[in-house]
């Protein structure tokens, strides 16, 4: 009880959900004679003089506390409890005459005191900045937030089980990289004092995972925390979660089939249907998904007919017409990609695989088997946003060296997201990488899709924020 030392442990006999499941059907005004021990936060309190009613919430649900003055120990101290206090309660399961399933308190103890004011409403925190900074409060008072992160946990668990059933092996690769690689992004840099070297937080686990395919792991994946030194937006957080997987003997058509089947499976397991609402529109994740080339979609959505042979001056004029920034070192492939991203991508609502990308912007992808200047790469677009990026992997070490050298030229021209030559990765390719395909899927954007959230901060427990002013106050 309050006034006594906080216990070192407390052992509930039931979760609140178990009480609800077992006793919710008992008659109004009845007593069960069953004693239970429960624990949670005091989320609501109503003092009616001789009786105090409270609402106790644990991770599974809520139940009413019934505290009569005559039978509740230290009744006056119970009435002085703060909203948000953690309690351990022993009592009989009853149902009030008004039909409220309750625990009639016979013993209670405060397990932790809420020394800061706890919101007294159940509809959540309206201040979004407070929600993100004080997620430990938001999770208690905003049911939608709690459900979002339960869905996130479920999605990751389902992905793991699905991949394990199809023969994939989960691995862990380094977070510190001696050189940045695996994606076009600006890295975070840190320093290792003992070795006196700079290291880079990984922007992707790709090159290490493909080393493992060289090493004989024919189906390998990692659910990886990755870091990209970029701005904040509704779709971008500098620290996020990526599923990357690689499959030997496969090409990008195999990965498309895998993606659409996995997405359909997740939707059915999480939502019970492949049809979901996002914003004010609906979409259907049921396989199969449409496949269309970037050039086909440019013509279909923007009435732009171009090829890699289109004169650069004409491509630059088209970019100017559509307010697309152009840099001097952009070649035709980069200009076409920029046009597509500006005019088409946000218009693609229903799930679609945008296939075949310019070689110029795809340094790790294998040449297209039929179309020179293009590679076998796709992005899955759903609700106008990229969900994943995948390709048939480039396995020729000589060609990969030329691509890396081309990236170094881009970096020298001012592209701080370009790659550098990774000599160890090239060495691994010289030992032989079999035909392989791989993919990176943004877990955060996937969860956004399944929960209907439109901001990435809503699906990351502790998103990156500007420094808080006045925290010590």
């Amino acid at each position: 009880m309050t006034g006594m030392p906080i216990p070192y442990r407390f052992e509930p006999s039931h979760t609140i959900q178990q009480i609800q499941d077992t006793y919710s059907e008992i008659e109004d005004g009845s007593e069960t004679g069953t004693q239970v021990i429960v624990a949670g936060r005091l989320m609501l309190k109503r003092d009616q003089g001789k009786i105090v009613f409270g609402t106790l919430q644990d991770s599974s649900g809520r139940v009413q506390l019934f505290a009569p003055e005559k039978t509740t120990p230290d009744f006056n101290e119970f009435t002085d409890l703060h909203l948000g206090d953690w309690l351990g309660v022993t009592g009989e399961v009853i149902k009030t005459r008004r039909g409220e399933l309750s625990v009639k308190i016979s013993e209670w103890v405060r397990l932790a005191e809420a020394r800061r004011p706890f919101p007294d409403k159940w509809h959540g925190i309206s201040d979004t900045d407070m929600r993100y900074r004080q997620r430990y409060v938001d999770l208690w008072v905003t049911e939608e937030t709690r459900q979002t992160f339960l869905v996130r946990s479920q999605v990751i668990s389902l992905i793991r089980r699905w991949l394990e059933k199809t023969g994939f092996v989960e691995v862990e690769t380094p977070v510190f990289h001696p050189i940045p690689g695996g994606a076009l992004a600006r890295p975070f840099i840190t320093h290792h004092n003992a070795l006196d070297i700079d290291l880079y937080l990984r922007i992707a686990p790709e090159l290490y995972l493909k080393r493992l395919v060289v090493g004989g792991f024919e189906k390998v994946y990692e659910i990886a925390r990755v870091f990209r030194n970029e701005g904040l937006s509704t779709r971008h957080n500098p620290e996020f979660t990526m599923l990357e997987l690689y499959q030997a003997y496969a090409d990008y058509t195999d990965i498309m089939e895998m993606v659409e089947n996995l997405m359909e499976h997740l939707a059915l397991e999480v939502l019970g249907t492949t049809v979901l609402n996002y914003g004010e529109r609906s979409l259907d994740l049921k396989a199969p998904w449409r496949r269309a080339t970037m050039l086909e979609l440019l013509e279909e959505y923007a009435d732009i007919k171009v090829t890699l042979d289109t004169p650069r001056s004409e491509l630059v004029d088209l970019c100017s017409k559509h307010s697309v920034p152009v840099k001097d070192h952009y070649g035709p492939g980069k200009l076409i990609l920029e046009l597509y991203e500006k005019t088409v991508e946000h218009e693609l609502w229903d799930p679609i695989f945008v296939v075949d990308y310019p070689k110029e912007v795809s340094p790790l992808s294998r040449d297209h088997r039929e179309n020179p200047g293009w590679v076998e790469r796709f992005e899955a677009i759903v609700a106008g946003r990229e969900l994943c990026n995948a390709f048939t992997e480039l396995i020729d070490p000589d060609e990969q060296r030329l691509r890396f050298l081309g990236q170094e030229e881009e970096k020298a021209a001012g592209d701080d997201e370009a790659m550098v030559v990774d000599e160890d990765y090239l060495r691994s390719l010289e030992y032989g990488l079999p035909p392989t395909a791989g993919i990176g899927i943004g877990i955060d954007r996937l969860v956004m899709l399944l929960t209907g959230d439109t901001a990435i901060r809503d699906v990351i427990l502790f998103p990156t924020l500007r420094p808080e002013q006045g925290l010590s106050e």
Side-chain angles (χ1 to χ4, degrees):
M1 298 171 202
T2 190
M4 297 185 67
I6 299 294
Y8 279 79
R9 68 185 302 273
F10 187 84
E11 187 172 354
S13 63
H14 294 73
T15 66
I16 290 173
Q17 186 62 56
Q18 288 172 333
I19 294 172
Q20 298 283 1
D21 291 344
T22 304
Y23 300 104
S24 61
E25 300 302 321
I26 64 175
E27 294 182 2
D28 295 353
S30 62
E31 300 178 350
T32 64
T34 301
Q35 295 283 311
V36 295
I37 305 171
V38 290
R41 278 195 192 271
L42 183 65
M43 298 301 292
L44 195 67
K45 187 178 66 173
R46 303 190 310 278
D47 187 346
Q48 298 187 354
K50 301 286 186 182
I51 298 176
V52 173
F53 293 96
T55 297
L56 190 73
Q57 178 178 328
D58 68 6
S59 61
S60 70
R62 301 184 179 106
V63 71
Q64 179 170 273
L65 299 179
F66 180 66
E69 181 181 23
K70 289 183 178 180
T71 58
T72 302
D74 297 309
F75 178 77
N76 290 334
E77 295 182 16
F78 187 85
T79 63
D80 291 335
L81 288 171
H82 307 146
L83 292 180
D85 282 353
W86 288 83
L87 302 181
V89 172
T90 301
E92 180 186 3
V93 179
I94 66 169
K95 185 172 278 190
T96 66
R97 288 192 295 273
R98 295 186 176 182
E100 188 72 33
L101 190 66
S102 307
V103 174
K104 184 179 180 181
I105 297 175
S106 57
E107 296 180 27
W108 67 274
V109 61
R110 182 156 64 181
L111 303 176
E113 179 184 1
R115 298 189 182 186
R116 287 179 177 263
F118 220 83
D120 62 355
K121 302 296 182 183
W122 286 26
H123 55 67
I125 302 173
S126 58
D127 183 338
T128 55
D129 187 70
M130 179 181 175
R131 289 182 56 207
Y132 301 141
R133 293 189 189 279
Q134 300 184 34
R135 189 69 88 185
Y136 37 84
V137 178
D138 182 37
L139 287 166
W140 282 103
V141 301
T142 310
E143 180 61 26
E144 294 84 357
T145 298
R146 178 183 290 271
Q147 289 303 315
T148 289
F149 289 105
L150 289 175
V151 168
R152 183 185 176 107
S153 178
Q154 181 186 11
V155 166
I156 293 173
S157 178
L158 288 166
I159 289 172
R160 280 195 165 99
R161 293 203 297 270
W162 193 86
L163 290 174
E164 287 166 2
K165 286 181 180 179
T166 52
F168 279 85
V169 175
E170 183 174 12
V171 297
E172 296 171 302
T173 62
V175 172
F176 289 144
H177 289 188
I179 60 174
L184 300 175
R186 184 179 180 183
F188 288 95
I189 305 173
T190 187
H191 189 78
H192 189 281
N193 291 333
L195 295 177
D196 193 24
I197 58 172
D198 285 340
L199 293 170
Y200 302 85
L201 294 181
R202 68 179 170 197
I203 56 177
E206 174 169 341
L207 301 186
Y208 282 94
L209 290 173
K210 286 191 283 191
R211 285 174 170 92
L212 294 178
V213 180
V214 171
F217 284 81
E218 296 174 355
K219 287 185 171 183
V220 64
Y221 80 97
E222 182 171 10
I223 297 176
R225 205 69 171 175
V226 295
F227 309 86
R228 299 183 183 178
N229 201 345
E230 58 192 15
L232 303 173
S233 76
T234 56
R235 291 185 288 175
H236 298 91
N237 192 72
E239 177 183 3
F240 61 100
T241 304
M242 182 78 73
L243 165 67
E244 288 230 13
L245 65 83
Y246 293 86
Q247 179 176 343
Y249 320 125
D251 66 11
Y252 74 150
T253 64
D254 298 300
I255 302 299
M256 287 183 223
E257 184 176 352
M258 174 189 296
V259 169
E260 62 194 2
N261 289 335
L262 175 58
M263 295 304 115
E264 179 179 313
H265 171 72
L266 293 174
L268 289 172
E269 290 293 318
V270 174
L271 305 173
T273 176
T274 59
V275 179
L276 55 92
N277 294 317
Y278 195 76
E280 297 180 354
R281 299 175 63 181
S282 65
L283 55 87
D284 193 345
L285 294 178
K286 184 176 178 58
W289 296 0
R290 182 188 175 192
R291 287 127 167 94
T293 69
M294 184 180 295
L295 294 185
E296 289 170 342
L297 294 169
L298 270 168
E299 183 173 352
E300 178 180 341
Y301 282 86
D303 196 28
I304 295 175
K305 299 179 182 181
V306 293
T307 70
L308 291 176
D309 295 324
T310 300
R312 187 178 188 280
S313 59
E314 185 177 329
L315 292 171
V316 170
D317 288 343
L318 284 168
C319 286
S320 177
K321 176 183 176 182
H322 292 282
S323 302
V324 176
V326 173
K327 296 183 179 180
D328 291 341
H329 64 278
Y330 286 3
K334 176 64 170 175
L335 294 171
I336 289 173
L337 175 65
E338 293 292 318
L339 277 169
Y340 154 78
E341 290 184 342
K342 177 71 173 184
T343 63
V344 176
E345 186 173 87
H346 64 280
E347 298 288 347
L348 302 176
W349 186 260
D350 294 314
I352 184 172
F353 294 119
V354 181
V355 303
D356 303 345
Y357 275 63
K359 180 176 179 177
E360 177 186 346
V361 296
S362 310
L364 298 170
S365 306
R366 192 167 181 176
D367 286 347
H368 198 286
R369 67 194 75 182
E370 296 175 355
N371 301 320
W374 299 84
V375 295
E376 295 191 350
R377 172 184 169 189
F378 74 83
E379 289 186 0
I381 307 298
V382 185
R385 297 180 175 186
E386 174 195 343
L387 181 64
C388 61
N389 182 30
F391 32 87
T392 305
E393 303 297 329
L394 177 55
I395 63 174
D396 182 335
D398 297 328
E399 173 65 17
Q400 185 63 77
R401 180 178 293 278
L402 292 175
R403 302 276 191 93
F404 279 153
L405 291 172
Q407 284 290 297
E408 287 202 331
E409 292 177 4
E410 297 290 327
K411 185 175 286 291
D415 186 351
D416 58 7
E417 294 186 350
M419 298 181 188
V420 297
V421 177
D422 186 333
E423 291 290 352
D424 181 68
Y425 177 66
L426 292 171
R427 179 171 58 187
S428 75
L429 293 183
E430 290 171 352
Y431 280 97
L433 175 65
T436 297
I439 189 169
I441 300 176
I443 295 294
D444 311 282
R445 292 184 184 178
L446 173 57
V447 174
M448 288 170 64
L449 184 66
L450 294 174
T451 58
D453 288 299
T454 56
I456 195 169
R457 293 181 182 184
D458 290 331
V459 299
I460 295 176
L461 278 167
F462 299 101
T464 304
L465 302 169
R466 296 183 184 279
E468 185 175 5
Q469 301 298 317
L471 181 59
S472 61
E473 296 177 0

